[in-house]
Amino acid sequence: MNEKEFEKELIRYLSGESAVDVKCGMIREKGAYIQKAKLWKYEPHIKNTEALWDNFKKILEQHNQSTLEHPLSVVEFNQVKKIISNLHTPYEAGQFLYGLNGVSQIEIDLDDGRHVFLIVFDQREIGAGDTIYQVVNQIKRPAVIMGKQDRRFDTTLLINGLPVIQIEEKTNTHDINEALNQMHQYIDENQYRDIFSTLQILVAMTPDNVKYMANTTSERFNKDFAFFWQRKEDNSIVRNWREFADSMLSIPMAHQMAVNYMILDGTKNRETLKVMRPYQVYATQKVIEGIKRTDFESGDKKIGYIWHTTGSGKTITSFKTAWLASRLPNVDKVVFVVDRIALTRKTNERYRAYDPDGNTEDRLHSGSVEETKNTSDLSRKLKSRDNKIIVTSVQKLGVLVKRKSFKCPEKNIVFIVDEAHRSTGGDTFAAIQKAFKRSAWVGYTGTPMFDETCTGLRTEDIFGKLLHAYTIREAIADKNVLGFKVDFETTIDEEKMRRQYLPAFYKSRYPKWSEEQITKKIDHLTEKDIDDTIEPSFYDENEEHIRLVVEDVFKNWKNRSNNGKYNALFTTHVGGGKASVPMAMMYYREFQRVNEENKKMENLH
């Protein structure tokens, strides 16, 4: 079929007209009538920008009847049009659609002197209530830039009258990238402005290939961030347009993708809109479903764990999970736990950047995310009545529960643990889980423990069943993983640092200090201070450090190599411009020594 026929078939499919029969909100499939969710209503009379504005005006008036005593006048509606037309980037549009606490409003002055707020979107009514879903096509768009040609947009999905998803179709004789390039051209030509400023998702579609991406600015348009949809059961790619329409473009999924599963990345000077990938969406859904079913008073509090390979975007997934969980009626607090004190600040910064409730100008003192300065601060924030997401460390939680004065808060608390394969074994973590009586636990890891050789416990023992997996094999096939990721591991333990290495360090650095001054200084160091104090050169040609690194490699090789299916490069580095070969040889000899010992043990058995 040609492009126009394909477009018509897509619209018929989205609006339910391609079904064999439709009767009283029921659709006949395979000889039986079944109840369907809301469908996109085709509006064939809407063919230009003015008609779109008129349609939006009617819906806005319909949803605000309790506020408005009469239809909006030209002067009143011009205020509405100005606010929407002044959304200069997709990021700003995302902020507008999210609104305040999930309710998007427009503030205007009425002709009678009243100052009112008109509701545009309410996230509590996604797929339900009075939310209106429409599909339009062939919208005429006159040229904005001198010398450019007039345009016609293929298919547009409207939610409450505003364009949210734009679909460009091509036939099978064309490459999917041509549709992406076409939308990039529209961005270049300022076509996604005025009422089209609210676009969140761009979809490029052929009958046998589909990709989607977040709307963006021209300079940040990158086809590498156009994703395939994937099947929930095995992460396999969806290429057929009907299957894509059934899953991603269905209601309420399309609405959730455009609001719940968008990330407003407010990183300073790099504000951008991001759309979650399918495996991130599925993992988030699994956890939220588990939390909803949790009985905090009794029963199993282990919701499960997410196995997403290193570099696949666990921070975005865990943030969205934490944020959605904090909005659930059965949850009082969400605590995001990292395995190192030094990582709390970095995680807190990322989370604040993603927080839609954060003030762009002052994210440090606004929004839904807060860091813990110390154990006492953690205790206070756990007891507070707000629903903010707390970012803290295993170490601080461990110190808190050991206090004689500790009293478990009478709250339903969800703990989301990052890098769940580390720092979750042993007595400390078990004590934390035991101390919080009304808690639920979720783990995120790139390398789950499947046996008891590493920490004494399997990941499943600590968090419950595997909820969703996206492994290195799938990530490599999808080209979704980063080239490199730094993974911190502790070698020399804190006690030995304080007793042996730090005294020597301060003696050499400050020869005039007395033993008493050095001891006082070390006693007041936190774990983060120790990390910051020890210079990288401390590890150069350090035999104990090398022995512990090699021990860690052997201990975790089975999991990290996926049972020997993947290899790795081992590199060494020393500071001060020194050659790294001597240190590489030290590692080589240590690997040889351990290999020989392992062979002897195997021969004995």
Side-chain angles (χ1 to χ4, degrees):
M1 57 184 164
N2 61 37
E3 197 170 300
K4 285 187 178 180
E5 291 171 338
F6 180 31
E7 180 182 294
K8 287 179 181 177
E9 183 58 28
L10 172 64
I11 292 170
R12 290 179 67 235
Y13 197 77
L14 291 173
S15 60
E17 293 178 11
S18 61
V20 176
D21 193 11
V22 180
K23 183 168 73 176
C24 302
M26 312 284 280
I27 288 185
R28 190 178 183 185
E29 288 185 359
K30 297 181 180 178
Y33 285 102
I34 62 170
Q35 183 69 47
K36 297 291 283 188
K38 284 191 174 185
L39 297 169
W40 299 94
K41 183 186 177 186
Y42 180 41
E43 304 288 358
H45 63 283
I46 299 177
K47 294 299 180 188
N48 56 44
T49 305
E50 282 309 308
L52 278 173
W53 279 120
D54 290 342
N55 177 66
F56 172 58
K57 180 175 180 289
K58 290 174 185 175
I59 294 171
L60 188 65
E61 291 166 348
Q62 178 183 327
H63 286 170
N64 291 274
Q65 291 179 34
S66 60
T67 302
L68 300 173
E69 296 175 357
H70 53 73
L72 293 167
S73 69
V74 173
V75 172
E76 290 167 341
F77 191 60
N78 279 342
Q79 296 175 63
V80 174
K81 292 170 74 173
K82 184 178 180 181
I83 289 170
I84 292 173
S85 298
N86 281 341
L87 299 171
H88 297 301
T89 66
Y91 175 80
E92 290 179 10
Q95 287 183 306
F96 166 74
L97 293 176
Y98 171 74
L100 182 64
N101 294 321
V103 180
S104 175
Q105 297 177 313
I106 289 180
E107 182 180 359
I108 65 169
D109 293 312
L110 298 180
D111 295 341
D112 60 13
R114 286 187 296 145
H115 190 75
V116 298
F117 292 84
L118 304 179
I119 295 176
V120 180
F121 282 103
D122 187 338
Q123 288 193 44
R124 291 169 297 185
E125 295 190 355
I126 291 178
D130 296 326
T131 307
I132 295 174
Y133 299 95
Q134 299 166 302
V135 54
V136 297
N137 70 317
Q138 293 300 306
I139 301 295
K140 297 175 185 176
R141 299 284 289 172
V144 178
I145 300 174
M146 187 76 71
K148 299 295 182 180
Q149 65 187 74
D150 295 347
R151 296 293 185 182
R152 283 178 186 263
F153 293 167
D154 286 354
T155 307
T156 307
L157 303 184
L158 314 176
I159 303 179
N160 283 352
L162 288 177
V164 174
I165 299 176
Q166 179 67 34
I167 306 169
E168 288 297 319
E169 300 99 0
K170 297 291 181 185
T171 63
N172 267 337
T173 57
H174 293 265
D175 188 279
I176 193 73
N177 285 320
E178 290 183 41
L180 292 170
N181 292 337
Q182 187 169 327
M183 289 184 283
H184 189 186
Q185 192 171 10
Y186 292 160
I187 296 171
D188 274 339
E189 296 175 2
N190 287 333
Q191 285 289 0
Y192 292 159
R193 299 303 300 273
D194 53 80
I195 197 167
F196 278 92
S197 296
T198 55
L199 280 178
Q200 297 290 282
I201 297 175
L202 309 178
V203 177
M205 181 181 289
T206 73
D208 295 315
N209 213 2
V210 190
K211 282 187 175 183
Y212 74 101
M213 65 184 293
N215 191 14
T216 186
T217 56
S218 181
E219 63 274 13
R220 289 187 178 148
F221 193 97
N222 185 344
K223 290 195 286 285
D224 288 343
F225 295 109
F227 310 132
F228 290 110
W229 194 251
Q230 293 166 308
R231 297 179 182 91
K232 185 180 292 188
E233 59 272 14
D234 59 4
N235 294 320
S236 58
I237 290 174
V238 171
R239 296 188 184 275
N240 179 269
W241 71 270
R242 284 187 177 87
E243 188 177 354
F244 180 83
D246 284 337
S247 50
M248 200 277 207
L249 295 181
S250 62
I251 299 170
M253 189 61 180
H255 196 165
Q256 291 171 332
M257 287 299 299
V259 181
N260 283 350
Y261 300 124
M262 300 299 290
I263 296 289
L264 295 168
D265 187 346
T267 303
K268 194 171 182 179
N269 299 321
R270 291 193 296 112
E271 291 92 352
T272 190
L273 194 65
K274 296 177 178 177
V275 62
M276 292 175 72
R277 305 176 190 217
Y279 62 86
Q280 295 173 316
V281 172
Y282 295 145
T284 302
Q285 289 175 331
K286 280 285 189 180
V287 176
I288 296 301
E289 287 166 8
I291 295 173
K292 286 179 178 178
R293 292 194 301 266
T294 298
D295 180 358
F296 286 86
E297 297 292 339
S298 60
D300 186 8
K301 310 296 177 59
K302 298 174 182 178
I303 293 171
Y305 71 95
I306 302 297
W307 175 15
H308 282 187
T309 189
T310 300
S312 62
K314 287 196 297 295
T315 303
I316 283 178
T317 313
S318 62
F319 166 77
K320 185 56 75 170
T321 303
W323 190 85
L324 291 172
S326 70
R327 266 67 187 165
L328 294 177
N330 66 329
V331 174
D332 298 314
K333 282 284 179 185
V334 175
V335 181
F336 186 77
V337 185
V338 298
D339 71 313
R340 285 163 49 90
I341 291 175
L343 295 179
T344 56
R345 177 162 295 179
K346 180 182 177 182
T347 303
N348 186 62
E349 288 172 357
R350 295 285 297 277
Y351 267 33
R352 285 186 184 278
Y354 296 154
D355 182 10
D357 290 317
N359 185 309
T360 306
E361 300 301 320
D362 185 18
R363 289 189 175 274
L364 189 61
H365 301 98
S366 68
S368 306
V369 181
E370 54 187 7
E371 191 180 3
T372 52
K373 297 175 183 177
N374 50 50
T375 307
S376 297
D377 187 36
L378 169 61
S379 179
R380 283 193 301 273
K381 286 172 178 173
L382 283 169
K383 294 173 184 175
S384 69
R385 294 184 178 180
D386 60 52
N387 66 341
K388 291 192 175 185
I389 300 166
I390 299 171
V391 179
T392 193
S393 65
V394 172
Q395 291 84 358
K396 285 177 185 172
L397 283 168
V399 171
L400 177 63
V401 301
K402 287 177 183 176
R403 285 182 175 177
K404 291 183 179 179
S405 60
F406 173 74
K407 186 178 179 181
C408 181
E410 291 296 312
K411 296 179 181 294
N412 295 346
I413 304 176
V414 173
F415 288 89
I416 298 175
V417 183
D418 190 32
E419 302 296 353
H421 58 285
R422 300 196 304 243
S423 301
T424 51
D427 297 334
T428 299
F429 196 82
I432 295 169
Q433 284 191 308
K434 186 178 180 180
F436 289 92
K437 307 296 182 186
R438 289 165 52 181
S439 62
W441 294 82
V442 184
Y444 281 81
T445 178
T447 51
M449 299 301 177
F450 296 114
D451 53 48
E452 302 175 4
T453 58
C454 300
T455 62
L457 288 171
R458 300 172 302 162
T459 303
E460 186 172 336
D461 298 328
I462 301 167
F463 294 100
K465 65 181 180 180
L466 172 65
L467 296 176
H468 190 267
Y470 183 76
T471 64
I472 186 67
R473 178 177 294 178
E474 293 160 327
I476 290 172
D478 293 343
K479 298 181 180 178
N480 278 346
V481 291
L482 302 174
F484 296 92
K485 179 180 180 296
V486 177
D487 206 358
F488 292 97
E489 294 286 352
T490 300
T491 51
I492 313 299
D493 64 54
E494 182 181 342
E495 184 182 348
K496 198 163 189 177
M497 285 281 192
R498 292 181 185 276
R499 188 180 69 250
Q500 184 175 339
Y501 295 100
L502 286 172
F505 170 79
Y506 282 113
K507 277 182 183 178
S508 62
R509 178 61 66 89
Y510 306 105
K512 294 183 180 180
W513 281 17
S514 66
E515 293 287 337
E516 185 179 350
Q517 285 176 302
I518 292 173
T519 301
K520 189 175 180 180
K521 174 67 177 177
I522 294 171
D523 287 344
H524 285 82
L525 290 176
T526 66
E527 186 174 349
K528 183 180 184 301
D529 293 331
I530 294 174
D531 284 339
D532 294 338
T533 300
I534 298 299
E535 296 181 342
S537 59
F538 164 78
Y539 297 98
D540 292 349
E541 299 181 24
N542 182 317
E543 290 184 358
E544 184 174 10
H545 170 69
I546 290 168
R547 180 182 63 77
L548 291 169
V549 168
V550 172
E551 180 180 298
D552 182 79
V553 170
F554 276 94
K555 189 182 289 184
N556 294 290
W557 176 248
K558 184 178 178 181
N559 286 311
R560 289 175 179 164
S561 67
N562 198 5
N563 288 321
K565 293 177 182 176
Y566 297 102
N567 298 318
L569 293 175
F570 191 96
T571 64
T572 59
H573 172 76
V574 292
K578 300 176 184 176
S580 59
V581 172
M583 194 165 179
M585 291 305 299
M586 292 176 74
Y587 273 111
Y588 174 78
R589 285 190 287 270
E590 181 62 13
F591 275 113
Q592 290 289 79
R593 184 188 68 78
V594 176
N595 269 322
E596 290 300 320
E597 284 187 4
N598 289 341
K599 285 179 182 177
K600 288 178 182 177
M601 292 297 294
E602 287 174 5
N603 291 334
L604 287 174
H605 293 289

